[in-house]
mmCIF file of all heavy atoms in Angstrom:
data_model
loop_
_atom_site.group_PDB
_atom_site.id
_atom_site.type_symbol
_atom_site.label_atom_id
_atom_site.label_comp_id
_atom_site.label_asym_id
_atom_site.label_seq_id
_atom_site.Cartn_x
_atom_site.Cartn_y
_atom_site.Cartn_z
ATOM 1 N N ASN A 44 -8.041 49.209 25.537
ATOM 2 C CA ASN A 44 -6.793 49.600 24.881
ATOM 3 C C ASN A 44 -7.144 50.845 24.020
ATOM 4 O O ASN A 44 -7.636 50.759 22.925
ATOM 5 C CB ASN A 44 -6.300 48.442 24.002
ATOM 6 C CG ASN A 44 -4.959 48.743 23.401
ATOM 7 O OD1 ASN A 44 -4.586 49.899 23.154
ATOM 8 N ND2 ASN A 44 -4.193 47.707 23.124
ATOM 9 N N LEU A 45 -6.855 52.044 24.604
ATOM 10 C CA LEU A 45 -7.306 53.318 23.986
ATOM 11 C C LEU A 45 -6.564 53.561 22.672
ATOM 12 O O LEU A 45 -7.144 54.145 21.739
ATOM 13 C CB LEU A 45 -7.090 54.460 24.944
ATOM 14 C CG LEU A 45 -7.880 54.327 26.269
ATOM 15 C CD1 LEU A 45 -7.597 55.517 27.165
ATOM 16 C CD2 LEU A 45 -9.353 54.212 26.029
ATOM 17 N N SER A 46 -5.312 53.121 22.542
ATOM 18 C CA SER A 46 -4.595 53.346 21.281
ATOM 19 C C SER A 46 -5.196 52.524 20.136
ATOM 20 O O SER A 46 -5.323 53.026 18.990
ATOM 21 C CB SER A 46 -3.113 52.996 21.449
ATOM 22 O OG SER A 46 -2.982 51.627 21.784
ATOM 23 N N LYS A 47 -5.656 51.316 20.420
ATOM 24 C CA LYS A 47 -6.318 50.484 19.389
ATOM 25 C C LYS A 47 -7.655 51.085 18.986
ATOM 26 O O LYS A 47 -8.058 51.024 17.841
ATOM 27 C CB LYS A 47 -6.521 49.049 19.909
ATOM 28 C CG LYS A 47 -5.242 48.226 19.948
ATOM 29 C CD LYS A 47 -4.748 47.930 18.561
ATOM 30 C CE LYS A 47 -3.412 47.162 18.597
ATOM 31 N NZ LYS A 47 -2.836 47.019 17.213
ATOM 32 N N ARG A 48 -8.354 51.682 19.951
ATOM 33 C CA ARG A 48 -9.606 52.350 19.638
ATOM 34 C C ARG A 48 -9.391 53.538 18.703
ATOM 35 O O ARG A 48 -10.169 53.815 17.818
ATOM 36 C CB ARG A 48 -10.309 52.783 20.900
ATOM 37 C CG ARG A 48 -10.821 51.639 21.695
ATOM 38 C CD ARG A 48 -11.684 52.107 22.855
ATOM 39 N NE ARG A 48 -12.212 50.963 23.566
ATOM 40 C CZ ARG A 48 -13.059 51.051 24.565
ATOM 41 N NH1 ARG A 48 -13.492 52.226 24.972
ATOM 42 N NH2 ARG A 48 -13.496 49.978 25.159
ATOM 43 N N PHE A 49 -8.288 54.247 18.937
ATOM 44 C CA PHE A 49 -7.933 55.408 18.079
ATOM 45 C C PHE A 49 -7.678 54.901 16.657
ATOM 46 O O PHE A 49 -8.095 55.523 15.683
ATOM 47 C CB PHE A 49 -6.708 56.117 18.644
ATOM 48 C CG PHE A 49 -6.312 57.320 17.875
ATOM 49 C CD1 PHE A 49 -7.043 58.534 17.980
ATOM 50 C CD2 PHE A 49 -5.242 57.288 16.982
ATOM 51 C CE1 PHE A 49 -6.665 59.633 17.224
ATOM 52 C CE2 PHE A 49 -4.858 58.370 16.206
ATOM 53 C CZ PHE A 49 -5.590 59.570 16.354
ATOM 54 N N GLU A 50 -6.998 53.731 16.542
ATOM 55 C CA GLU A 50 -6.724 53.152 15.246
ATOM 56 C C GLU A 50 -8.040 52.820 14.525
ATOM 57 O O GLU A 50 -8.196 53.052 13.333
ATOM 58 C CB GLU A 50 -5.930 51.841 15.409
ATOM 59 C CG GLU A 50 -4.448 52.000 15.348
ATOM 60 C CD GLU A 50 -3.735 50.653 15.512
ATOM 61 O OE1 GLU A 50 -4.070 49.720 14.758
ATOM 62 O OE2 GLU A 50 -2.901 50.536 16.435
ATOM 63 N N ALA A 51 -9.017 52.227 15.283
ATOM 64 C CA ALA A 51 -10.309 51.850 14.683
ATOM 65 C C ALA A 51 -11.040 53.081 14.192
ATOM 66 O O ALA A 51 -11.661 53.048 13.099
ATOM 67 C CB ALA A 51 -11.162 51.107 15.745
ATOM 68 N N ARG A 52 -10.936 54.181 14.933
ATOM 69 C CA ARG A 52 -11.608 55.420 14.482
ATOM 70 C C ARG A 52 -10.969 55.943 13.184
ATOM 71 O O ARG A 52 -11.664 56.422 12.284
ATOM 72 C CB ARG A 52 -11.571 56.486 15.575
ATOM 73 C CG ARG A 52 -12.644 56.362 16.612
ATOM 74 C CD ARG A 52 -12.870 57.668 17.351
ATOM 75 N NE ARG A 52 -11.662 58.103 18.051
ATOM 76 C CZ ARG A 52 -11.312 57.651 19.266
ATOM 77 N NH1 ARG A 52 -12.059 56.770 19.895
ATOM 78 N NH2 ARG A 52 -10.229 58.059 19.834
ATOM 79 N N ALA A 53 -9.650 55.817 13.123
ATOM 80 C CA ALA A 53 -8.940 56.242 11.916
ATOM 81 C C ALA A 53 -9.368 55.432 10.724
ATOM 82 O O ALA A 53 -9.545 55.952 9.615
ATOM 83 C CB ALA A 53 -7.420 56.140 12.167
ATOM 84 N N ILE A 54 -9.555 54.113 10.931
ATOM 85 C CA ILE A 54 -9.993 53.230 9.823
ATOM 86 C C ILE A 54 -11.399 53.613 9.355
ATOM 87 O O ILE A 54 -11.682 53.692 8.172
ATOM 88 C CB ILE A 54 -9.992 51.731 10.269
ATOM 89 C CG1 ILE A 54 -8.558 51.257 10.492
ATOM 90 C CG2 ILE A 54 -10.666 50.854 9.259
ATOM 91 C CD1 ILE A 54 -8.445 49.854 11.087
ATOM 92 N N ARG A 55 -12.291 53.949 10.364
ATOM 93 C CA ARG A 55 -13.656 54.392 9.961
ATOM 94 C C ARG A 55 -13.611 55.670 9.126
ATOM 95 O O ARG A 55 -14.315 55.770 8.147
ATOM 96 C CB ARG A 55 -14.433 54.631 11.248
ATOM 97 C CG ARG A 55 -15.005 53.367 11.871
ATOM 98 C CD ARG A 55 -16.176 53.671 12.778
ATOM 99 N NE ARG A 55 -16.680 52.448 13.393
ATOM 100 C CZ ARG A 55 -16.417 52.063 14.625
ATOM 101 N NH1 ARG A 55 -15.689 52.802 15.390
ATOM 102 N NH2 ARG A 55 -16.916 50.949 15.109
ATOM 103 N N ARG A 56 -12.765 56.637 9.569
ATOM 104 C CA ARG A 56 -12.662 57.884 8.800
ATOM 105 C C ARG A 56 -12.162 57.642 7.418
ATOM 106 O O ARG A 56 -12.675 58.180 6.431
ATOM 107 C CB ARG A 56 -11.752 58.896 9.551
ATOM 108 C CG ARG A 56 -12.425 59.593 10.715
ATOM 109 C CD ARG A 56 -11.616 60.817 11.152
ATOM 110 N NE ARG A 56 -10.263 60.443 11.579
ATOM 111 C CZ ARG A 56 -9.949 60.094 12.810
ATOM 112 N NH1 ARG A 56 -10.899 60.033 13.733
ATOM 113 N NH2 ARG A 56 -8.698 59.799 13.158
ATOM 114 N N SER A 57 -11.182 56.744 7.312
ATOM 115 C CA SER A 57 -10.608 56.401 5.999
ATOM 116 C C SER A 57 -11.695 55.730 5.118
ATOM 117 O O SER A 57 -11.802 56.049 3.959
ATOM 118 C CB SER A 57 -9.407 55.506 6.228
ATOM 119 O OG SER A 57 -9.254 54.604 5.199
ATOM 120 N N ASN A 58 -12.479 54.811 5.721
ATOM 121 C CA ASN A 58 -13.568 54.143 4.999
ATOM 122 C C ASN A 58 -14.589 55.150 4.448
ATOM 123 O O ASN A 58 -15.012 55.075 3.312
ATOM 124 C CB ASN A 58 -14.302 53.132 5.911
ATOM 125 C CG ASN A 58 -13.496 51.900 6.146
ATOM 126 O OD1 ASN A 58 -12.571 51.626 5.438
ATOM 127 N ND2 ASN A 58 -13.876 51.159 7.167
ATOM 128 N N GLN A 59 -14.928 56.120 5.305
ATOM 129 C CA GLN A 59 -15.925 57.125 4.952
ATOM 130 C C GLN A 59 -15.450 57.889 3.695
ATOM 131 O O GLN A 59 -16.201 58.070 2.746
ATOM 132 C CB GLN A 59 -16.100 58.102 6.125
ATOM 133 C CG GLN A 59 -17.334 59.015 5.979
ATOM 134 C CD GLN A 59 -17.546 59.809 7.249
ATOM 135 O OE1 GLN A 59 -16.900 59.601 8.274
ATOM 136 N NE2 GLN A 59 -18.394 60.782 7.175
ATOM 137 N N GLU A 60 -14.188 58.320 3.743
ATOM 138 C CA GLU A 60 -13.655 59.073 2.571
ATOM 139 C C GLU A 60 -13.569 58.165 1.352
ATOM 140 O O GLU A 60 -13.904 58.567 0.242
ATOM 141 C CB GLU A 60 -12.246 59.604 2.907
ATOM 142 C CG GLU A 60 -12.233 60.718 3.957
ATOM 143 C CD GLU A 60 -13.148 61.881 3.563
ATOM 144 O OE1 GLU A 60 -13.077 62.314 2.379
ATOM 145 O OE2 GLU A 60 -13.950 62.331 4.384
ATOM 146 N N LYS A 61 -13.114 56.916 1.560
ATOM 147 C CA LYS A 61 -12.920 55.995 0.444
ATOM 148 C C LYS A 61 -14.254 55.673 -0.240
ATOM 149 O O LYS A 61 -14.310 55.715 -1.489
ATOM 150 C CB LYS A 61 -12.284 54.696 1.009
ATOM 151 C CG LYS A 61 -11.884 53.740 -0.139
ATOM 152 C CD LYS A 61 -10.866 52.683 0.312
ATOM 153 C CE LYS A 61 -11.346 51.875 1.462
ATOM 154 N NZ LYS A 61 -10.412 50.787 1.843
#
Side-chain angles (χ1 to χ4, degrees):
N44 187 332
L45 300 179
S46 61
K47 286 290 177 187
R48 290 188 178 185
F49 182 78
E50 268 181 54
R52 276 201 300 277
I54 292 172
R55 280 201 180 102
R56 280 196 300 273
S57 148
N58 286 343
Q59 194 173 349
E60 290 305 314
K61 186 161 58 176

